[in-house]
Every structure is written in C-alpha cells, then in structure tokens.
Amino acid sequence: MENLDRLLTLEERFQIKEMLIEGASIRSIAATIGRAPSTISREIKRGSPLGHRAGYQALKSHRIAVANRERPKPLKITSDPALLAAVQKGLNEKLSPEQIVGRLRYEHPDDPAWRVSHETIYKTIYLQARGGLKRELQALTRTGRTIRHTKRRRGF
C-alpha cells in the first residue's frame, strides 16, 4: 500500500495556485504548505503548460498525477508492436539489452517513443517468460535464465 501522505492533495494544489497568483515565492509556498521547495518547483513545472508559474493549472495537474499513479502500468515494449519487433530483432541477433538500447537511440534519435532502458527490456523478457508467452525470448538471453538477478549493492 502506498503512503499517500507524501503526495500533494488537490487542496494543496489549489493553495499553490492561489499563492502563485498572489506573487508568493516557491520557498514561501513550501513553508506554508509544509513541503520541500523542490516539490513545489517540480509541481509548478509539471502543472504549467509552458513550465513556469504563470499558467499553473491545479485541477489538470491533479488529474495527471492521479493517472500517473495507476498500477499496474502497461509495459512500454509490449504495448508498441514496432518497438517489440525491434527488440525481438536485436535479441535474435544475440545483442544484449544494453546494445539494443544503444541501437534504438542511434536509429531513432528524435523519437521519445523509442526510448527504453535495458531494465525495461529485461522486465519484458522475464515477465513474458514467466507467463508462458514467447519462451523463445528467454532462450535468446545470454544466460538463458528464467528469473532476473539484479546486482545487489554491498552493505557498508
């Protein structure tokens, strides 16, 4: 269960909007609401069409925030057939996910829809393999593992 105390409420967003109209600084808004100035700054950038204080839209910003919290999120690769085909092609050529990411960035430099991380590729491979879908993807990984083993940080 997620901790909702850390999320801005609709009331806080309206308070931000009112204080912006009054000409308050980001730090004074943060102090009044009890949030970090960086949180307020990011909220204003996300909730403004032009990314600055003048056009902050509290209700629209809240709707976007709620939509972004929805889980489970669809996997980016499986929801785009062209991207899935490109990743599958790279795996067929025995490229690592890191190499596939590099190739996608090289071939589509200006298209954010083709931006994925190597971790997204690994997730797609292992989630599909676990569900019994596309077992050939699992066989194409260099290790042939059915479960992803992440690198663990060493304790201090």
Side-chain angles (χ1 to χ4, degrees), residues 122-130 143 145-148:
Y122 280 118
K123 270 188 197 173
T124 302
I125 292 169
Y126 292 112
L127 285 176
Q128 285 183 344
R130 193 175 304 142
T143 62
R145 290 187 181 129
T146 57
I147 298 175
R148 172 87 166 114

Side-chain angles (χ1 to χ4, degrees), residues 73-94:
K73 292 191 182 274
L75 290 173
K76 185 173 185 176
I77 295 173
T78 55
S79 60
D80 183 348
L83 182 57
L84 179 61
V87 170
Q88 177 89 40
K89 180 182 174 201
L91 291 171
N92 288 341
E93 294 173 4
K94 301 290 186 196

Side-chain angles (χ1 to χ4, degrees), residues 14 34 46 58 62 77 85 91 97-98 117 120 130 153:
F14 277 119
R46 279 191 220 125
H62 188 72
I77 295 173
L91 291 171
E98 291 85 351
S117 70
T120 302
R130 193 175 304 142
R153 294 183 72 187

Side-chain angles (χ1 to χ4, degrees), residues 93-139:
E93 294 173 4
K94 301 290 186 196
L95 297 178
S96 70
E98 291 85 351
Q99 291 169 322
I100 294 169
V101 168
R103 177 188 276 183
L104 291 174
R105 284 189 183 173
Y106 179 76
E107 293 175 354
H108 306 277
D110 299 327
D111 191 353
W114 287 78
R115 293 277 188 272
V116 294
S117 70
H118 65 280
E119 284 296 326
T120 302
I121 295 174
Y122 280 118
K123 270 188 197 173
T124 302
I125 292 169
Y126 292 112
L127 285 176
Q128 285 183 344
R130 193 175 304 142
L133 299 172
K134 305 208 184 219
R135 291 218 179 263
E136 67 271 9
L137 285 177
Q138 168 196 329

